[in-house]
Amino acid sequence: MDFDANIEHLRIAYWNILLTAGPVLAVALAIGLLVGILQAATSINEATLSFVPKLAIVLITMALASGFMLSTMTDYFGYVFESIANIQ
């Protein structure tokens, strides 16, 4: 396997990481930012106020995006196993 093929495998792996984890991380970032702005505006510094909504919404996002994430990872691992089978 040459260097260009290895770089292509890494590129595909990083792209799949972005597709799989990206939606959940983006929602967590947006909710954390929104709660942080709300806490700064109201001067409420309660730790559970930032943790509980973020946890609930991230879990809901994971539940809604699980089908997409599973199909993405299934396709990727099918590609990886096919690549391993074709190594000479």
Side-chain angles (χ1 to χ4, degrees):
M1 185 177 292
D2 60 339
F3 181 74
D4 292 333
N6 290 334
I7 296 299
E8 182 66 19
H9 285 294
L10 284 174
R11 186 189 65 77
I12 293 171
Y14 287 143
W15 181 248
N16 278 297
I17 290 169
L18 184 66
L19 283 177
T20 304
V24 176
L25 293 175
V27 167
L29 177 68
I31 295 302
L33 185 63
L34 186 67
V35 170
I37 290 171
L38 180 69
Q39 282 182 332
T42 59
S43 297
I44 299 174
N45 291 327
E46 181 65 32
T48 58
L49 184 63
S50 65
F51 180 72
V52 173
K54 192 187 305 182
L55 177 67
I57 294 175
V58 165
L59 287 176
I60 290 169
T61 303
M62 288 180 72
L64 292 175
S66 63
F68 169 73
M69 293 183 338
L70 182 63
S71 66
T72 302
M73 293 306 292
T74 302
D75 293 342
Y76 173 66
F77 281 114
Y79 170 75
V80 167
F81 292 142
E82 183 179 315
S83 297
I84 291 172
N86 292 332
I87 293 176
Q88 297 177 9

